[in-house]
Amino acid sequence: MRIRTRHTGRPAGSGTALAVGTVVAGLLTAACSGPGTSGAEPPAKDWAQLRADAKGQSVNLFMFGGDKGANSYIDDEVAPAAKKLGITVKRVPVADTQDAVQKILGDQRAGKGSGGAVDLVWVNGENFRTGKQADLWLCGYTGLMPNQKYLDGTDPTLAQDFGTPVDDCETPWSRAQFAFVHDSAKLAEPPRTMGALTAWIKENPGRFTYPAPPDFTGSAFVRQLLLAGAQDEPVPPAYSKKAYETLAPGLWKDLNVLRSALWRQGTTYPRDQAALNDLFANGEVDMTMTYNPAEVPALVDKGQFPPSARVFVPEDGTLGNTSYLAVPKNAAHREAALVLSDLLLSPEMQYAKARPGGWGAYTVLDQEQLPEKWREKFASLTTPETTLPIEELSRNARPELSGDWVGPLDKGWKQEVASTS
Amino acid sequence: MPMSPRWRGLLLTAPALALVAFAGGALLLAGRGSLADGLGRGWSLSAYAGLLRDPAFADSLLLSLKIATLSTVASAVLALAVVGAVSGSRRGRAALETAARATLAVPHLLAAAAFALLLSGSGLISRLTHAAGWTDGPADFPALVAGSAPSAVLLAYVWKEAPFVAIMLLAAYTPAVRDLENAVRTLGAGRLRRLRHVTLPLLAPALTEACLLVFAFTFAAYEAPALLGATVPRALSVDAVELYRSVELDDRPAALALAVVIGLVIALVALAAAAISRRLLLARTGP
């Protein structure tokens, strides 16, 4: 598109030049959009046909590999269920979802319009947005999915992914809620509000820190503080330079005031959530944080966290989001990827995911829409005492800011907070 | 029919040349990417302008130079000292060679992780000092890992690179060198004079080469500074990898520009090393 407008917009000197220009422009557009448009075509088939085509395919599912619960959920629950549909699931662990997006981008830049290595990605927020900007995702298929009927069509958190319209380009998978973790044996009463938390940090120097953005969790903590600090001036969910310039200075001031009370006086920060978890496990700090509180029981079972570890959320609410599954346009096994996305949305798979002892990730299904049998099963789920049920976690939940906020905030943190230490 | 020596020579160097061409091609691609937008289109210098405007870039460059220089100097001094100490005894040489080879076999990532476990606030040494009653807790222990000085990074590099330099030196430390040393010793030269006038000049080419390799490696390597470094400033390689993986497409040219800077610095140092070793060669053989 870009190439065509540039060429046709050029004043033509002579007829020949115009003709050549048009031909070149036509060729370029054809060359550029050739694989693109064929890939953009929604799978114009009915679901039964899609299922038949999916048989015998194997799906390369790219997902963050650092969550043991998620990995065993895919291997032990999803893979056998997919096998029954004739689909093989190959879990490809990545250190960060960005790596999967980079891989698709690489394929796209190499002109790979089809036969891409990535079939399905566990994605959300800024990664989804980046992929959408680069036109990577297959769109317009969710209407075909049988299990979409269990979703609440009016739920705003399913229409927007970190403020980016979902636009039929991804399938909801799990809900997540930002939360803190403390050791109840050492700290019986954790702070009850974000204000109390910052006060506690100042009263207990050296006992708190957060992962350095752009780590996902660290970045979420910075946004959490932005939302908490700006009570009298609401943060507009949509990013604008003006809103950033109004709100960011206050945030940097708050963070810089906290800095000297942080672990190692804020001269350095843990590089990611895993590093912060280690500090917490070793007793170097009194709290850690997570965007997936459901992982805490597993960390306790593994012995990394003490049995007295507990999840808490400030009463003024924390950030919440929904994560999704997206299919790249150039996926080699697109049919199977779509069938698998639908399978992962089924009450069976969503229940297996939410079940404690399993992964424990929260369902995206709307209880009202479920058949009686499944509603009862979901209602009977118990939450281990080391974490909190989703209703408690999501009390006063705040929707995530637009993905456009993430980049500027991460960069701003690096310049205004990290560099001044 | 026997191959002409010229063709034979070319054929034998072909694999090495192919590797160099491959690396050069990668650098060219990075150079192209650094001059384009996030999707690799168009031409622009904005990535480099951005680097010059970013105060953190100078800090990162300085840190990387500091890490590389200090690791190289420390590894060279340590290796020279150890090789000099054991050169007289056949058994000592063999033991040194075995120990150095064993260290070489440990991957850098593993070494960095091991140093993290040893030196971090709640690491092994910190626990030992706590048990001995010297420190009250992790907060008391000096911040070697991720502290303001790249102490743990340097230690990990010296631990890995000094054995490498030692092996290069041992190879150059031929019986002929020892004979010459013995000759000047009988003429009454002390230890320092022998080192200055015989050992060092004869080992200098091997030492220069080893130092160049160590410098180039420690300047560009990622694992140790990523695992053991502080949040700011960060080594150029860590910055480059993080920028390349950023979700902002516009960060990619900047990441590739950093890769080009890393490549340029290494090329400059390689040129300097080539000039030095030529002068050394001239000094030894005469004009």
Side-chain angles (χ1 to χ4, degrees), chain A residues 2 95-99 102 105-106 108-109 126-127 129-130 133-134 212-214 263-264 267-271 278-279 282-284 403-404 406-408 411 413-415 418-421, chain B residues 33 37-41 54-56 119-123 127 138-139 141-148 226-232 234 239 242-249 251-252 256:
Chain A
R2 201 169 294 221
D96 200 301
T97 308
Q98 290 159 17
D99 298 343
Q102 294 291 1
L105 270 174
Q108 189 203 44
R109 288 178 66 177
E126 65 272 31
N127 289 299
R129 188 194 57 128
T130 303
Q133 276 173 355
W263 172 75
R264 290 209 184 151
T267 52
T268 189
Y269 295 80
R271 75 184 163 277
D278 284 345
L279 291 181
N282 287 324
E284 279 194 71
D404 296 320
V406 178
K411 284 215 175 80
W413 182 85
K414 212 169 116 185
Q415 265 167 22
S419 298
T420 46
S421 56
Chain B
D37 72 358
L39 286 170
R41 295 173 305 211
D54 183 3
L119 302 175
S120 68
S122 50
R127 278 166 206 252
F141 192 72
L144 299 174
V145 172
S148 45
L227 274 175
L228 304 171
T231 313
V232 280
R234 289 177 313 179
D239 254 344
E242 187 170 289
L243 276 176
Y244 193 76
R245 289 179 55 203
S246 157
V247 286
E248 302 283 326
L249 291 177
D251 286 342
R252 295 187 78 152
L256 294 170

Side-chain angles (χ1 to χ4, degrees), chain A residues 164-176:
Chain A
T164 305
V166 166
D167 284 344
D168 244 8
C169 300
E170 48 179 5
T171 319
W173 194 20
S174 300
R175 281 185 204 283

